[in-house]
Amino acid sequence: MIDSGSVKQLAGHPFDRRDFLKVLGWSGAAVALSGCGNTSIEDGKETVVSYVEANDYMVPGIGVYYNSTCAQCDAGCSINGRVREGRVLKLEGNPDSAINKGKLCGLGQAGVQHHYNPDRVREPLLRNGNKGETISWDKAYALIAEKLSGVKGEEIAFLSGGVSGHLKALLGNYLDSLGTKNHFVYEAVAPGVVRAANVKAYGVEMPRYRFDKAQVVLSFGADFLGSWVSPVHFSQQYAQFRKGVNGQRGVLVQVESKMTLTGANADRWLAVKPGTEGVLALGIINALGIATGEVAELVKGYDRARVSSETGVAPGQIDKIAALLKLRSPSLVLAGSAAEGYAHGSQNAAAIHLLNQVLGNVGKTVEAPVSVPFPQMAPAKGNTAALKTLNDGLAAGKYKVLFNFAANPVFTAPGAFKFKDNLAKAGFKVAFAHYLDETALQADLVLPLDSAMEDWGTQVPEYMTEGAQINIQQPLMERLHANTRGMGDIVLTLIKQRRADEYKAFEDYYAYLRGAMLQNKGALGGGGVDDDTFWNETLTQGIVKLAGSTGTLTAHAAAAGLTLPAPAASDEQYPLHLIPGVTASLRDGRHTNQPWLQESPDPLTTIVWDSWVEVHPKKATELGIVEGDIVEVTSKTGSVKAQVYLFPGIHPEAISIPVGRGHDAMGRYAKGYGVNPFQIMDAVFDAATGELAMHETRVNIKKTGQRVLVVKDEGSAGALQMGRKIAARVSTDQVDLSKEV
Amino acid sequence: MYRFLRLPVLLVGFFMAASSYAASNSQPALTTEDALGPQVVQPIEFPHNRHAGLHDASDPTKGGMEINCQYCHTYARRSAVAGIPPLQKCIGCHQNIESVRNKSRIVELFKYWDAKKAVPWKKVHDLPDFVRFNHERHIKRFIEQQDRPVQEACGYCHGDVKEMTVARRQKPLAMGWCASCHEKDHPVVAEGGTPIAGQAYWYSFQKPAAAQDANTKARGPNDCWQCHK
Ligand code: SF4
């Protein structure tokens, strides 16, 4: 208990000027003391604003909660936002969603900083030389109409990130009214190759993975706990997998050249030579010895010795994995972004899928997906091949008008594309933007968007579980800035320029959305309910759950056409592979201006607010590099300089730089922090799909002579245990996997 | 390298500063007395006395209307913060009181209403952000559990508001002053005659008896985290 005498001494004592100066004279820190006891500091100064009219449920200091959808990535987690005094304060997951079941990732949590961000664009801006001049929305719309008039459909291009729901349908109609088919859906980090390989192997782009039913998960570079497809959902299934079926805990084996968050959680982490994931998969099939027919024929050559020398994985390890997979069934084998990022990415993925099929997992842990019964709302999935087509078109000067929404290609296109230069050849560039990011800065007209917490919308996620769902996005609070607009409202206004009659019934996007939903009330599970009740319930729940239609899975991964290239010859000039690290919080860098994301330490290196180059300690010794050295990383395309972090979780023949940092625009929390590895990426493509091979860039590193203190959370000794034996360890060659599991 | 020196230098400075402060201030005054806050100019001079003051039996047009504080300050019993009544509340009554409709203050009030704009009242009572005072808890304790008159209970901290026009801070609202009440030994007996004291009482695990025994005492919550959360 507090001694009240001393409390009073601190509390109410008036602080006179002499005391104050005396204290100030000693130290600036003491100024804090003068605050103690002076309560009621704002008496008569601060304004306290009340409501003009308030509903009964609006009580100052008491939160109200609204359901909506996380817009930080495409996974489609449902959120529940706490709103107090009309301000959204904190987001949680909506427990009713089958996708995230009440959980939310760190990136999702930072969604409020998307909304309150001080660097948002607030007014429509029209280029005047190097400046943007504020114009009215009416003028902006008139300008777009003017620029579009007389322009042929094929001279118009629309670049966007992944879109789905009613916005996708409306946008499709708008592009149709313009007579253009040039909708380029681009996501810098997307499983484009894996989708295509999935179609070949399973008959669907994205099957449902059942981690919870698997006894072993063998993942070839799929960072499903961090950034792959639907990480919050997978994390929950992973928890189930770890608890085990019948008390038998699942075993995770991760194969990759750069350790990801998932790799760090694995029971066994295997570093393969970059690009040899497919070889290892075939080697495992060979070691299993259960394949027959042409598959057996295919893998015949992939004996232990060859596979081991090509992949760098010890022969004993291959046997152990094969033994484990034989012992425990069903298992689940995944091909992730590390396997697909090569010129032979499709082949890698095909080999991995073949392993899945040989193991008999298709139909057990790989299930048919569900889809919404409204194909026009299904997601338009982004990939990188779309950017290539657009870039070629731009280079050829094909486009007179270019729209850009939810993509930042000037930042994320590989340096070899020279995208910025090509973009300049487009006639009139319109950017629908949240920030003045690198791409918006190149635009002629910038139109400010509402945040996800101010806007209406629907979203259909690519990856769904337990039935289909349509996610509802609704405003959690009023607009912060009077002159931002929702993307739906903008597209609706634009389409009215072309098809006024068809859309005149809809005053705004909200009316359009409500009308469209009510029209299909029956199919959406609202049969027999009156309109208002249905609509209010939909908004309250934030999710419309549908039975959905289940696709069919075909197991026809085949050996035919599967050829893996011989290991790449070593390159004298550029001996190292550059692996772009995709982190759970920054992803492709579209949210880097949210300071929480900059501030939360990378889970593996604990570095904050900066980029780093991961170098294997052995390689570093060879090159005479220590932690904190600034090195120059050079590829055929360009070079960047960044600090070195010695990381045992990377193959000695590779280095890794995380993507997402290194902005030279966007806002105060993004600009000038770190480097952008996209800039030095070569334009190499997967042969089968035309997707960008993100892991194919070769580099060399040189010391610059500068050295810095790496700002990170782990101890200065590189997380050494200082002889305290906090976690005991054994070297891998002394572990007997069969005893372990 | 100077960076490493900065912390020790700071600490030494801080220590010396703190000791010089403590040395020259051995006997501070108690803070339980009334301490008037500044006279705050409000956009509308709201007459608390007219609304909450006592009836004048001799002349009903003078005097107050004895409106319960909680009629307007309705959030206080529902939330940690008392808030300010919504404008709608004022209008709810005043649209039916023709007799004062043309008074300058009411004209002003309706101007805000017609423009649907909030009145920019100035804060009269403000605590630092590291203090969490909970109105609801105090009202439960004094008005609902102990059946004290509303004006008395509110008055512990807000003074005799029914005598004021524009409210003015009457108490220091500093920690020593809060503690001066929380440490008092309040006589309390639980229902059924058992004496109760301390936290059980405050958390209302037991109800106090209607008739109290003067020998049983209780204290207000006295843990730091009650207010500094
Ligand atoms: S995975 Fe994270 S960022 Fe993506 S939708 Fe879910 S919560 Fe939002």
Side-chain angles (χ1 to χ4, degrees), chain A residues 43-115:
Chain A
D43 278 8
K45 295 189 195 114
E46 212 174 43
T47 304
V48 41
V49 182
S50 67
Y51 289 107
V52 174
E53 289 172 278
N55 288 326
D56 280 350
Y57 63 81
M58 292 151 87
V59 178
I62 307 276
V64 253
Y65 297 80
Y66 294 95
N67 285 328
S68 187
T69 303
C70 178
Q72 297 273 94
C73 87
D74 284 342
C77 300
S78 297
I79 55 173
N80 180 264
R82 177 170 184 228
V83 179
R84 220 191 67 191
E85 276 98 274
R87 319 265 306 169
V88 51
L89 298 183
K90 174 81 164 68
L91 307 176
E92 300 293 350
N94 176 356
D96 277 347
S97 165
I99 293 178
N100 60 319
K101 299 202 179 83
K103 304 292 187 284
L104 212 57
C105 79
L107 178 58
Q109 287 287 356
V112 283
Q113 295 198 324
H114 186 65
H115 172 64

Side-chain angles (χ1 to χ4, degrees), chain A residues 1 4 8-9 11-13 15 19 30 39-40 42-54 60 62, chain B residues 17 21 25 28 30-31 75 78-79 81 84 86-88 116-118 121-124 126 169 172-173 176 183 222:
Chain A
M1 294 270 159
S4 63
K8 280 172 199 154
Q9 198 166 351
H13 178 65
F15 217 90
D19 289 354
T39 58
S40 307
E42 296 286 341
D43 278 8
K45 295 189 195 114
E46 212 174 43
T47 304
V48 41
V49 182
S50 67
Y51 289 107
V52 174
E53 289 172 278
I62 307 276
Chain B
Y21 169 54
N25 298 282
L30 288 179
T31 54
Y75 301 131
R78 301 198 171 105
S79 168
V81 298
I84 297 289
L87 186 52
Q88 180 188 23
K116 286 282 177 284
K117 273 176 103 174
W121 302 108
K122 292 280 177 220
K123 260 188 187 172
V124 175
D126 185 35
R169 181 163 59 73
L173 304 189
E183 72 181 358
N222 220 348

Side-chain angles (χ1 to χ4, degrees), chain B residues 183-196:
Chain B
E183 72 181 358
K184 267 190 187 136
D185 289 332
H186 300 286
V188 181
V189 174
E191 272 172 341
T194 347
I196 52 170

Side-chain angles (χ1 to χ4, degrees), chain A residues 708-726:
Chain A
V708 291
L709 261 181
V710 177
V711 181
K712 55 179 184 173
D713 276 8
E714 74 179 0
S716 53
L720 289 181
Q721 299 178 31
M722 314 294 269
R724 283 173 295 176
K725 292 211 168 142
I726 296 167

Side-chain angles (χ1 to χ4, degrees), chain A residues 649-667:
Chain A
I650 185 148
H651 195 279
E653 286 168 27
I655 60 154
S656 174
I657 306 178
V659 299
R661 291 204 174 92
H663 282 277
D664 47 26
M666 189 178 234

Side-chain angles (χ1 to χ4, degrees), chain A residues 376-492:
Chain A
Q376 67 278 25
M377 287 175 70
K381 294 163 220 161
N383 56 30
T384 50
L387 186 71
K388 162 112 183 21
T389 323
L390 173 68
N391 192 45
D392 292 347
L394 285 170
K398 263 167 80 177
Y399 303 119
K400 292 207 172 127
V401 180
L402 173 77
F403 296 95
N404 176 50
F405 164 63
N408 185 7
V410 174
F411 178 77
T412 53
F417 271 27
K418 304 238 172 312
F419 189 85
K420 193 169 155 186
D421 300 341
N422 292 333
L423 184 63
K425 296 181 189 160
F428 185 68
K429 300 169 288 283
V430 184
F432 307 99
H434 194 76
Y435 304 110
L436 279 180
D437 58 20
E438 288 81 353
T439 309
L441 274 187
Q442 303 304 317
D444 300 300
L445 178 65
V446 178
L447 298 177
L449 293 177
D450 283 344
S451 81
M453 262 142 256
E454 299 164 333
D455 200 5
W456 289 97
T458 46
Q459 191 238 13
V460 176
E462 173 180 11
Y463 191 96
M464 290 184 287
T465 63
E466 299 164 31
Q469 62 187 68
I470 297 174
N471 293 332
I472 305 289
Q473 183 193 322
Q474 61 179 318
L476 299 184
M477 65 177 277
E478 296 268 320
R479 272 198 187 103
L480 277 176
H481 312 297
N483 268 332
T484 59
R485 292 290 175 271
M487 188 61 191
D489 279 310
I490 298 174
V491 179
L492 187 67

